[in-house]
């Protein structure tokens, strides 16, 4: 039911369901909005929490260009970005 | 990396097993961080100096340790140099000199002088108190302009305007004025081939009537130059007519499409006098970084010094790479595109205020090309002003018309 409300009222899902909004610019920059902080950070691996899982960014020379309560901006050579919902982590 | 902040910034090193947690807690308390990097077992980041003390309770809570690696920014520079008296005095003197120098006129330029010698205008301006080194705030530009007009009889009008430390003297001499007034006597002629629908004459003699077909350049309302005993009459009025328009477009079924790849390169050149220096990756202007590209050029020029200003130009060339691929259109897509292009071409010929009365279109297919033709008719103003033609020989006839 909760997932269908945004469709019924034509509202943005990322705001209503507190989902991350990820913007990737080429292979050098990614911005993650609606985040819950950095879970783990290495130069080749960055894990950013969101309401129901984690955004995993893999690459090399990864740096956090800026972090605020609203947005994390990651720079470096980005090779992959994927989402890991909490159910997968529990398994 | 972000540019340095005016309030300064400090780089801190966070060490401990829960340093990510410290970052998250700091962020939730409204502390912004930037340039966060991992160095072995520690994190390094930049924060605002005022936020450093806010980290202390978080450090205790997470069992991390934090220490400052470096400080930078204007505020730190000022604090470290404020005790040097000569530095402060030098800065204040520099500011005073800057304010003093910018309160004076340094450059005077003359524009628009054709018959009148620009040096004569400058000399007149100097005699009226407008010289390099004059206080800008003491100048009454309108008084100086009127005084120059009085001093040089060949000048019809003088206008002065000041921009920064530069004063420009605009001059309209008698030659320019007489040409302007001669140009003011006009005929109204047809701008397009048209069929006349309406004609309203305010001045001059109508040469056409409603229903007549006229060609581009035909006189619609005639004006008259001044002749002995009679003043000039400049044609004035409105002539509206029906004008036919046509737009033609061809679209191939195999379309070569250019798309931006996102790669961009910028090179900057600085020219001082005749010397040109590259600031960036390109050493020569003829070097191009991509096979297909779009070039945007921006140039800024400034003149430095007096009385012979040195011209300094900064030129910025921005290259945006494009790549091409072939896109196959279906026949309906190609027809739609061709009609849209042809319609756009036809509409671009029609002035904004014109009324489009009717349009029709045809589409034909030849091998792999779709050809679209859109025709239309509009009711529009067809008269434009043109300086009067040479009037000789038939002056008696024109006098009659005027009477």
């Amino acid at each position: 039911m909760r997932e269908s409300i945004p469709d019924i009222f034509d509202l943005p899902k990322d705001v209503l369901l507190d989902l991350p909004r990820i913007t990737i610019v080429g292979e050098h920059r990614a911005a993650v909005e609606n985040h819950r902080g950095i879970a783990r950070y290495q130069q080749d691996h960055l894990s950013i929490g969101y309401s129901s899982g984690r955004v995993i960014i893999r690459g090399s020379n990864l740096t956090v260009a800026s972090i605020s309560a609203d947005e994390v901006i990651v720079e470096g050579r980005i090779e992959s970005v994927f989402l890991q919902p909490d159910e997968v982590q529990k398994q | 990396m972000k540019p340095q902040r005016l309030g300064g910034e400090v780089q801190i090193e966070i060490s401990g097993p829960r340093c990510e947690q410290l970052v998250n807690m700091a962020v939730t308390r409204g502390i912004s961080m930037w340039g966060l990097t991992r160095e072995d077992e520690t994190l390094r980041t930049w924060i605002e100096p005022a936020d450093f003390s806010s980290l202390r309770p978080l450090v205790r809570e997470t069992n991390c340790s934090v220490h400052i690696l470096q400080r930078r920014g204007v505020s730190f520079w000022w604090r470290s140099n404020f005790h040097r008296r000569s530095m402060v005095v030098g800065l204040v003197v520099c500011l005073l000199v800057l304010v003093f120098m910018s309160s004076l006129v340094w450059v005077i330029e003359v524009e628009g002088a054709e018959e009148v010698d620009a040096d004569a205008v400058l000399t007149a301006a100097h005699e009226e108190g407008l010289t390099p080194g004059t206080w800008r705030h003491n100048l009454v530009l309108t008084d100086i302009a009127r005084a120059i007009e009085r001093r040089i009889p060949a000048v019809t009008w003088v206008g002065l305007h000041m921009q920064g430390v530069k004063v420009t003297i605009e001059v309209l001499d008698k030659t320019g004025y007489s040409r302007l007034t001669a140009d003011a006597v006009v005929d109204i002629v047809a701008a397009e081939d048209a069929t006349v629908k309406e004609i309203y004459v305010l001045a001059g003699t109508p040469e056409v009537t409603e229903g007549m077909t006229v060609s581009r350049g035909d006189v619609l309302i005639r004006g008259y130059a001044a002749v002995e005993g009679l003043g000039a009459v400049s044609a004035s009025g409105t002539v509206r007519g029906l004008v036919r328009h046509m737009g033609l477009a061809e679209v191939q079924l195999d379309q070569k499409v250019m798309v931006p790849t996102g790669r961009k390169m910028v090179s900057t050149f600085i020219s001082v006098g005749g010397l040109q220096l590259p600031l960036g990756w390109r050493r020569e202007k003829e070097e191009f970084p991509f096979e297909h590209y779009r070039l945007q050029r921006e140039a800024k020029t400034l003149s430095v010094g007096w009385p012979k200003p040195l011209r300094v130009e900064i030129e910025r060339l921005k290259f945006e790479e494009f790549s091409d691929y072939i896109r196959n259109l279906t026949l309906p897509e190609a027809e739609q595109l061709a009609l849209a292009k042809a319609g756009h071409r036809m509409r671009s010929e029609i002035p904004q205020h014109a009324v489009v009365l009717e349009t029709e279109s045809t589409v034909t297919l030849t091998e792999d090309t779709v050809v679209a033709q859109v025709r239309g008719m509009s009711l529009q103003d067809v008269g434009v002003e043109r300086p009067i033609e040479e009037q000789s020989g038939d002056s008696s006839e024109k006098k009659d018309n005027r009477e």
Side-chain angles (χ1 to χ4, degrees):
Chain A
M1 179 63 191
R2 190 165 172 250
E3 279 75 13
S4 59
I5 290 173
D7 291 332
I8 294 167
F9 293 103
D10 197 20
L11 294 168
K13 277 190 177 180
D14 56 327
V15 177
L16 277 188
L17 303 179
D18 200 16
L19 294 173
R21 178 192 287 258
I22 304 166
T23 312
I24 301 172
V25 183
E27 55 188 17
H28 299 292
R29 190 180 170 93
V32 182
E33 293 170 71
N34 286 349
H35 70 94
R36 292 283 170 89
I38 295 172
R40 187 161 169 250
Y41 173 31
Q42 296 296 328
Q43 280 192 343
D44 59 348
H45 174 108
L46 182 62
S47 171
I48 300 168
Y50 68 92
S51 58
S52 56
R54 286 179 183 184
V55 179
I56 313 288
I57 299 174
R58 289 189 188 280
S60 55
N61 295 324
L62 297 178
T63 61
V64 179
S66 75
I67 176 167
S68 64
D70 304 321
E71 187 182 43
V72 181
I73 296 174
V74 181
E75 289 181 346
R77 187 171 178 78
I78 296 167
E79 287 164 8
S80 68
V81 177
F82 59 93
L83 300 181
Q84 191 177 57
D86 282 337
E87 301 88 64
V88 177
Q89 287 176 42
K90 282 169 194 167
Q91 286 167 13
Chain B
M1 185 171 286
K2 289 198 171 186
Q4 290 184 21
R5 300 178 180 214
L6 268 183
E9 54 189 355
V10 292
Q11 191 183 29
I12 57 169
E13 188 175 67
I14 308 165
S15 50
R18 295 162 65 196
C19 36
E20 285 97 344
Q21 196 182 353
L22 173 68
V23 170
N24 293 337
M25 289 168 77
V27 167
T28 53
R29 280 161 177 76
I31 298 173
S32 291
M33 295 183 170
W34 57 95
L36 180 71
T37 54
R38 163 69 73 178
E39 301 288 335
D40 300 325
E41 295 305 311
T42 62
L43 290 179
R44 288 181 180 180
T45 184
W46 291 91
I47 59 169
E48 287 182 14
D51 290 335
F52 184 72
S53 57
S54 312
L55 287 178
R56 277 186 196 140
L58 308 179
V59 169
R60 281 194 293 274
E61 206 174 319
T62 53
N63 284 328
C64 292
S65 68
V66 172
H67 67 271
I68 293 174
L69 290 178
Q70 57 174 311
R71 301 171 174 87
R72 67 183 183 194
V74 178
S75 62
F76 292 113
W77 178 87
W78 180 251
R79 261 179 252 170
S80 62
N81 290 290
F82 186 72
H83 61 279
R84 296 184 192 171
R85 189 176 296 169
S86 57
M87 181 81 162
V88 177
V89 171
L91 200 65
V92 171
V93 169
C94 188
L95 276 173
L96 289 175
V97 168
L98 193 69
V99 170
F100 173 75
M101 299 293 264
S102 61
S103 305
L104 305 176
V105 172
W106 288 109
V107 181
I108 302 168
E109 286 181 356
V110 179
E111 285 180 2
E114 292 179 22
E115 286 291 304
V116 179
D117 187 12
D119 287 338
V121 177
L122 275 178
T123 308
H126 290 179
E127 285 167 4
E128 290 301 324
L130 176 59
T131 53
T134 315
W135 285 101
R136 291 170 60 222
H137 306 292
N138 290 350
L139 293 174
V140 184
L141 297 180
T142 46
D143 290 356
I144 297 170
R146 298 294 84 78
I148 295 172
E149 284 173 9
R150 281 195 299 275
R151 277 176 182 274
I152 308 174
V155 163
T156 303
W157 173 85
V158 174
L160 268 74
H161 55 88
M162 189 168 357
Q163 188 178 26
V165 296
K166 186 170 97 172
V167 173
T168 305
I169 306 173
E170 279 185 291
V171 177
L172 179 64
D173 55 30
K174 296 274 195 272
T175 316
Y177 180 72
S178 58
R179 195 173 58 242
L180 274 179
T181 48
D183 287 350
V185 181
V186 294
D187 288 327
I188 290 183
V189 300
E192 311 269 357
D193 296 349
T195 306
V196 176
K197 286 293 285 182
E198 299 161 0
I199 177 162
Y200 305 101
V201 181
L202 297 173
T205 307
E207 296 282 330
V208 292
T209 53
E210 288 174 13
M212 277 178 72
T213 303
V214 293
S215 301
R216 184 178 180 163
D218 287 354
V219 177
L220 305 175
I221 305 173
R222 192 172 291 284
Y224 299 101
V227 289
E228 204 175 328
L230 289 167
V233 176
S234 190
S236 173
T238 304
V239 182
R240 285 159 70 80
L242 292 172
V243 181
R244 291 181 186 280
H245 303 277
M246 189 183 77
L248 193 68
E250 286 183 359
V251 169
Q252 289 190 322
L253 293 174
D254 296 335
Q255 288 276 306
K256 189 177 179 183
V257 183
M258 301 293 281
V259 287
T261 63
R263 287 176 69 199
K264 288 175 185 170
M265 292 195 98
V266 177
S267 67
T268 310
F269 292 87
I270 182 163
S271 306
V272 183
L275 188 69
Q276 192 174 67
L277 299 167
L279 302 175
W281 57 270
R282 288 175 77 219
R283 299 200 176 278
E284 299 294 334
K285 275 194 174 179
E286 288 70 30
E287 265 182 61
F288 299 114
F290 309 121
E291 190 183 348
H292 301 293
Y293 60 88
R294 185 172 62 186
L295 175 62
Q296 282 178 292
R297 182 181 175 276
E298 290 169 18
K300 283 182 183 168
T301 309
L302 42 123
S303 300
V304 183
W306 185 84
K308 288 187 176 174
L310 185 67
R311 190 182 157 89
V312 179
E313 187 181 71
I314 297 171
E315 188 184 23
R316 192 164 177 267
L317 303 172
K318 187 174 173 187
F319 291 84
E320 190 179 358
E321 189 187 40
F322 280 75
S323 67
D324 55 347
Y325 73 94
I326 302 294
R327 185 180 162 214
N328 299 314
L329 295 180
T330 61
L331 191 58
E333 278 176 341
E335 284 178 359
Q336 202 178 355
L337 187 61
L339 279 171
K341 278 187 176 177
H344 179 74
R345 279 180 193 161
M346 187 203 73
R347 278 190 298 278
S348 66
E349 285 181 5
I350 302 175
Q352 271 190 335
H353 302 294
V355 181
V356 180
L357 300 175
E358 57 184 75
T359 58
E360 58 181 34
S361 56
T362 53
V363 179
T364 49
L365 176 65
T366 54
E367 292 183 10
D368 61 343
T369 307
V370 172
V371 181
Q373 192 181 57
V374 177
R375 290 176 296 279
M377 188 180 277
S378 68
L379 181 62
Q380 65 186 67
D381 199 340
V382 292
V384 287
E385 291 182 350
R386 190 180 69 185
I388 57 168
E389 294 166 352
E390 289 292 320
Q391 295 173 356
S392 58
D394 57 348
S395 58
S396 57
E397 185 194 334
K398 282 164 189 166
K399 274 183 189 174
D400 293 339
N401 284 340
R402 212 177 319 180
E403 283 155 9

